[in-house]
Amino acid sequence: MGRSIDMGAAALGAPALIDLEELLATRLLVQGNSGSGKSHLLRRLLEQSAGLVQQIVIDPEGDFVSLAERYGHLALDAAECERDLPAIAARVREHRVSVVLNLEELEVDAQLRAAAQFLGALFDADRALWFPALVVVDEAQLFAPAAASDGSDEARRLSLAAMTNLMCRGRKRGLAGVIATQRLAKLAKNVAAEASNFLMGRTFLDIDMARAADLLGMERRQAEMFRDLERGAFVGLGPAISRRPLRVKIGAVETADRGAAPKLAPLPEAMEAEALQNLIFAPGEAPPPPRVRVAPKPELLQEIFERIEAPAPDIVAAPPPELTEEEREAAIEDIISQIVGEAKASQQAAETLHRDFQLRCRIRRLGPNTPDLADFRRRLTIFRAKQAFPEAADEESWGRAVDLAARLPGDLQSVFLYLSRAAAAGQPCPDDAEIAGFFGSASPSRARRMLGELERNEWIVARVDFEQRRIIAFPELGLETAA
Ligand SMILES: Nc1ncnc2c1ncn2[C@@H]1O[C@H](COP(=O)(O)OP(=O)(O)O)[C@@H](O)[C@H]1O
Ligand SMILES: [Mg+2]
């Protein structure tokens, strides 16, 4: 058994334990009617494992934001950062931060899209970042419905695909799904099927009780018991919980849940009819208009581009200038230097910068075949490497370095260009933090991994001189960084 977390009390008061490592490998599915205590159960699980594993909570109702105050989770209001969610998810993965993605302010459609984008970006993280994380999704039937439900087909398709990836293919990437649903019948089958651990709470419909009993390997005639479970009581089974169906009473939690069950409150005293009329029909301020949220429009940029491209109806454009290949290259480099010069360029995704680049190419009328994203990335890196080491460089070797680098994949290409430029300019090897900074990472260990990768494939040879300075040699270029 690995590290266990305490979920509450099992039979005879023994603690009900969940083996965390096993849970990471085998996932968890929770079923129970509204009010049966699913969110409370998830909260208990999150609190008990908070210091042990990264946690990512998809929170449709804003129930889990209170974890932030107590356990330091980052609370993300999806409505405020909708457009940046993929970039945020990528950083969350890189820095292993626990987060609560609060979707409550979004319309259904936008909720589905936001969850899809966020999960998608977690899933797409670089292999080097496949650290273990619990991904908790409450009300999972919203995101992975068994049949048509709220939201547009398109949004539903996206979120269902993201949930399927999470549950079916997430494990290898370190993502362990923990999902709760009111009814299994409402949850897409392939999403439910991948969990090997179950906690089944109170349900009333025959079909739900029967399914719960089936999943737990109980006899059908015992299924009736799910009707009588009290709030907070669940029956668990699975490699991380127990080999036999085990009754569990979920224990107390530390943080408050906002959606506490409504309690009866005494009504105000009855009033005279007239007083009542005055109270209700008194003139006063109109109620505030409902808040309208403008749905984000990913097509917007595209539309703008198309409008720029479409010739204005009655003004005939002058023919584009005839440029030589050299003039064209110079114009492209000039645009790249403008983009790099702008303050926030280093924090923006290459895709965003590329769109900006294309736009500027159009404005300068550089013709149809402007560099595509991959080519643009390469040029951007080359430009930045030259900018980092502007000293009179061995231009011939540098030219060969640029050609060679084209054979390397993305991030390695960027490290190779940066270091070979240092060598061509007769400069010493930058340290790990500088190398990481060059390809937009804050992690020196990532830089070391990439150096290791380059070295294993014999692109570089690294050694340390007698004064402990790192020297990188480039066998194919006949270059090395200065001591
Ligand atoms: N094990 C428990 N111990 C104490 N209170 C609980 C327990 N489980 C649930 N509750 C309370 O019951 C109410 C409903 O629980 P909740 O977790 O929101 O249900 P669900 O998410 O299934 O609709 C909440 O006010 C919650 O605090
Ligand atoms: Mg709930």
Side-chain angles (χ1 to χ4, degrees):
M1 281 280 256
R3 208 87 178 244
S4 292
I5 52 178
D6 179 353
M7 290 300 291
L12 303 173
L17 301 178
I18 290 189
D19 181 325
L20 189 55
E21 274 169 21
E22 193 62 46
L23 179 68
L24 285 168
T26 52
R27 297 163 293 258
L28 171 64
L29 173 63
V30 181
Q31 171 185 254
N33 282 150
S34 175
S36 61
K38 300 179 299 294
S39 299
H40 180 100
L41 181 158
L42 295 178
R43 180 182 296 278
R44 170 90 184 184
L45 177 78
L46 288 163
E47 290 184 354
Q48 294 291 317
S49 61
L52 303 173
V53 65
Q54 185 188 1
Q55 308 181 329
I56 294 159
V57 186
I58 306 293
D59 182 6
E61 282 158 13
D63 279 344
F64 295 94
V65 175
S66 56
L67 289 170
E69 288 142 36
R70 172 86 192 226
Y71 296 95
H73 292 61
L74 175 71
L76 282 175
D77 183 345
E80 276 166 18
C81 52
E82 231 174 328
R83 291 153 52 111
D84 299 320
L85 286 175
I88 294 174
R91 299 223 174 127
V92 158
R93 201 85 158 98
E94 175 173 0
H95 300 293
R96 308 178 65 184
V97 184
S98 289
V99 287
V100 176
L101 179 65
N102 176 8
L103 300 169
E104 68 171 331
E105 296 281 334
L106 295 177
E107 309 282 338
V108 177
D109 233 54
Q111 283 190 329
L112 299 184
R113 285 179 202 278
Q117 286 197 319
F118 200 75
L119 291 172
L122 294 175
F123 188 83
D124 289 337
D126 211 86
R127 181 181 281 270
L129 303 177
W130 290 357
F131 301 114
L134 288 179
V135 183
V136 172
V137 184
D138 199 1
E139 304 294 350
Q141 76 283 346
L142 296 175
F143 304 104
S149 62
D150 296 346
S152 68
D153 286 349
E154 160 79 358
R156 206 163 354 97
R157 193 181 53 70
L158 290 173
S159 80
L160 178 58
M163 287 289 289
T164 307
N165 270 342
L166 168 69
M167 291 306 276
C168 301
R169 298 165 58 212
R171 181 186 152 175
K172 208 171 86 184
R173 291 168 168 75
L175 301 174
V178 170
I179 61 181
T181 181
Q182 293 177 6
R183 298 192 51 207
L184 269 168
K186 285 195 201 165
L187 188 67
K189 281 218 178 59
N190 54 346
V191 168
E194 291 299 322
S196 314
N197 299 288
F198 308 99
L199 283 164
M200 297 289 152
R202 183 176 61 196
T203 54
F204 298 115
L205 295 178
D206 288 342
I207 175 171
D208 295 338
M209 294 191 285
R211 282 204 175 191
D214 286 349
L215 279 174
L216 298 179
M218 294 162 48
E219 287 176 38
R220 278 287 173 96
R221 62 189 164 79
Q222 291 182 301
E224 286 284 318
M225 68 160 294
F226 290 103
R227 200 194 301 278
D228 302 322
L229 285 177
E230 68 218 91
R231 166 198 287 167
F234 289 78
V235 182
L237 179 77
I241 303 173
S242 162
R243 290 180 196 186
R244 304 234 161 73
L246 177 73
R247 210 167 147 148
V248 177
K249 169 77 183 159
I250 305 300
V253 292
E254 302 272 329
T255 53
D257 87 88
R258 275 193 337 183
K263 295 219 164 57
L264 287 176
L267 288 167
E269 282 189 18
M271 285 190 213
E272 300 279 323
E274 198 186 341
L276 199 56
Q277 292 240 346
N278 287 341
L279 186 67
I280 302 299
F281 296 113
E285 290 167 22
R291 266 214 287 174
V292 180
R293 236 170 232 295
V294 181
K297 246 186 141 179
E299 316 81 4
L300 192 61
L301 260 180
Q302 203 50 46
E303 264 177 44
I304 292 172
F305 286 161
E306 275 160 14
R307 244 181 288 150
I308 289 169
E309 252 172 347
D314 44 16
I315 303 168
V316 180
E322 290 277 326
L323 292 181
T324 65
E325 193 52 29
E326 267 169 30
E327 286 167 336
R328 196 162 170 279
E329 285 295 309
I332 288 175
E333 180 154 344
D334 190 42
I335 293 174
I336 288 181
S337 101
Q338 283 173 1
I339 291 177
V340 172
E342 282 173 17
K344 282 202 290 188
S346 58
Q347 288 144 34
Q348 283 179 343
E351 289 77 5
T352 314
L353 296 178
H354 183 235
R355 279 198 293 266
D356 181 24
F357 171 77
Q358 285 179 314
L359 182 59
R360 293 182 200 227
C361 287
R362 284 205 190 105
I363 292 169
R364 293 226 202 164
R365 311 184 72 195
L366 293 184
N369 301 317
T370 50
D372 64 8
L373 179 60
D375 188 12
F376 167 73
R377 268 197 159 127
R378 213 168 88 80
R379 289 167 181 264
L380 195 63
T381 309
I382 292 170
F383 183 89
R384 290 181 47 237
K386 286 197 329 203
Q387 200 184 32
F389 300 103
E391 300 78 6
D394 170 353
E395 287 300 335
E396 207 234 277
S397 306
W398 169 242
R400 275 190 292 136
V402 168
D403 291 342
L404 268 184
R407 289 198 260 135
L408 280 162
D411 280 356
L412 287 181
Q413 186 176 107
S414 137
V415 175
F416 182 84
L417 282 168
Y418 181 52
L419 297 178
S420 60
R421 178 71 192 181
Q427 295 295 311
C429 179
D431 67 23
D432 294 337
E434 288 168 324
I435 298 175
F438 185 78
F439 60 84
S441 160
S443 150
S445 59
R446 189 141 176 246
R448 279 195 295 280
R449 276 199 296 277
M450 295 175 69
L451 286 179
E453 181 97 19
L454 284 171
E455 192 161 21
R456 266 194 302 286
N457 292 298
E458 299 178 0
W459 289 84
I460 61 171
V461 177
R463 66 186 153 86
V464 175
D465 75 1
F466 48 84
E467 286 182 50
Q468 296 301 307
R469 285 174 302 217
R470 180 167 60 197
I471 295 187
I472 306 265
F474 297 82
E476 290 195 55
L477 299 173
L479 276 181
E480 62 178 39
T481 54

